[in-house]
């Protein structure tokens, strides 16, 4: 089961035969929680991750904290995520690397997750200088494909927030290339969305490419039920002026409502209070 959960989280995106089953092993529970979060099942994921945050293995505990932080951030809760990412970093800041994991589920990957999470948290709170510093610190720990991909997302988002859309293109392209090379379906979807936003204000050819990227991301997210990304893809498609923009906005709102129904009370409250999540 762990291999199928890993493939669903970091590979072909196909859910395991029992997509909501949670294995007994700590690593299996972490992989299950990642898959649950990808499908917008935030309450179920939070239950699993909350238990893992006290695991005796500091690397797994750190990864659990940073994964929960990413789920909080996806619902606009950057301040709540900041606390969790700080916890994640404290757990592994001096931890030896140990045996490397192909997807970065190791000490170096955990440090990268924590630094990049902290950068994204500060970005969401308007602290661009702090976000840049933290993203730069993450660079020393991005030796695996997943960390490089996430670094590309955060780097592009920092440039976009700084109104430097041209500078956002290179890290966004790098993220997409890294995810595609790995064959990581879910990471390709998010990379396509980040790159589409980065190039949307360019030439007419770039704008058409952005629309194509978003359409492909939306179709893939729909196919594999990546609901945490699908509602975003619908809203980006509407903002790009794709055909049936009103339908995309309605669909995005419908999907967000479904995601919030599967969030825990904290997640729903964060989304309600966040300026980043549509009413």
């Amino acid at each position: 089961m762990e291999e199928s959960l890993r493939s669903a989280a970091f590979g072909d995106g196909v859910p395991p035969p029992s997509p909501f089953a949670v294995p007994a092993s700590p690593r299996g529970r972490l992989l299950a929680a990642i898959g649950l979060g990808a499908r917008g099942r935030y309450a179920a994921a939070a239950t699993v991750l909350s238990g893992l945050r006290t695991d005796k293995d500091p690397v797994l505990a750190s990864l659990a904290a940073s994964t929960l932080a990413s789920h909080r951030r996806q619902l606009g809760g950057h301040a709540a995520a900041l606390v969790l990412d700080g916890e994640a970093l404290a757990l592994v800041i001096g931890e030896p690397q140990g045996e490397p994991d192909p997807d970065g589920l190791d000490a170096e990957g955990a440090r990268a997750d924590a630094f990049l999470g902290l950068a994204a948290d500060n970005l969401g709170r308007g602290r661009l200088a702090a976000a840049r510093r933290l993203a730069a610190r993450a660079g020393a720990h991005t030796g695996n494909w997943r960390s490089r991909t996430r670094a590309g997302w955060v780097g592009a988002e920092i440039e976009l927030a700084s109104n430097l859309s041209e500078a956002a293109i290179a890290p966004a392209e790098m993220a997409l290339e890294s995810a595609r090379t790995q064959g990581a379906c879910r990471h390709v979807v998010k990379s396509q969305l980040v790159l589409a936003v980065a190039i949307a204000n360019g030439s007419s050819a770039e704008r058409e490419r952005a629309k194509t990227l978003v359409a492909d991301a939306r179709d893939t997210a729909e196919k594999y039920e990546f609901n945490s990304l699908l509602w975003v893809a619908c809203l980006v498609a509407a903002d790009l002026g794709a055909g049936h923009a009103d339908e995309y906005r309605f669909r995005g709102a419908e999907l967000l409502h479904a995601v919030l129904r599967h969030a825990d009370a904290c997640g729903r409250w964060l989304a309600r209070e966040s300026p980043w999540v549509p009413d």
Side-chain angles (χ1 to χ4, degrees), residues 82 89 114-120 122 129-139:
L82 186 73
L89 182 59
F115 276 123
L116 290 168
L118 287 167
N122 278 278
R132 285 187 184 280
R133 288 196 300 271
L134 288 158
R137 290 196 67 183

Side-chain angles (χ1 to χ4, degrees), residues 26-262:
R27 187 172 294 268
R29 293 203 301 275
L30 175 66
L31 291 166
I34 292 170
L36 288 166
R39 287 164 176 80
R41 300 271 177 168
Y42 290 126
T47 299
V48 177
L49 294 168
S50 294
L52 286 174
R53 284 168 61 196
T54 58
D55 193 88
K56 62 183 180 181
D57 181 348
V59 172
L60 275 173
S62 173
L63 290 164
S66 58
T67 301
L68 183 57
S70 73
H71 296 171
R72 297 308 192 207
R73 196 163 49 247
Q74 286 162 17
L75 293 176
H78 294 84
L82 186 73
V83 176
L84 289 163
D85 282 317
E87 173 187 316
L89 182 59
L91 284 164
V92 291
I93 192 65
E95 190 70 14
Q97 166 63 353
E99 184 176 350
D101 181 90
D103 301 309
L105 302 184
D106 50 32
E108 281 288 86
R111 279 188 281 272
D113 282 357
F115 276 123
L116 290 168
L118 287 167
D121 301 332
N122 278 278
L123 177 60
R125 303 187 75 193
R127 300 171 177 173
L128 292 178
R132 285 187 184 280
R133 288 196 300 271
L134 288 158
R137 290 196 67 183
H141 310 288
T142 54
N144 67 84
W145 74 268
R146 189 174 64 84
S147 297
R148 287 193 298 273
T149 302
R150 295 187 72 239
W153 298 342
V154 174
E157 288 163 358
I158 289 171
E159 301 302 348
L160 287 168
S162 305
N163 293 317
L164 299 171
S165 55
E166 283 288 330
I169 295 174
E173 292 275 20
M174 182 272 289
L176 181 55
E177 177 63 22
S178 178
R180 277 181 171 160
T181 299
Q182 180 64 24
C185 181
R186 180 169 58 90
H187 292 71
V188 168
V189 169
K190 178 162 181 178
S191 299
Q192 288 174 317
L193 294 175
V194 173
L195 179 56
V197 173
I199 64 176
N201 293 324
S203 66
S204 58
E206 287 175 323
R207 190 169 183 83
E208 287 306 309
R209 184 189 177 202
K211 291 179 182 179
T212 300
L213 285 166
V214 172
D216 188 48
R218 192 182 65 250
D219 289 345
T220 305
E222 185 101 52
K223 178 179 179 179
Y224 295 112
E225 298 182 352
F226 295 148
N227 291 333
S228 62
L229 294 170
L230 183 53
W231 72 268
V232 179
C234 288
L235 295 184
V236 174
D239 288 344
L240 284 174
H244 311 290
D246 289 342
E247 291 180 21
Y248 286 135
R249 287 196 177 89
F250 178 81
R251 177 66 173 145
E254 187 178 52
L255 286 160
L256 175 57
H257 178 71
V259 165
L260 292 176
R261 283 194 295 108
H262 289 102

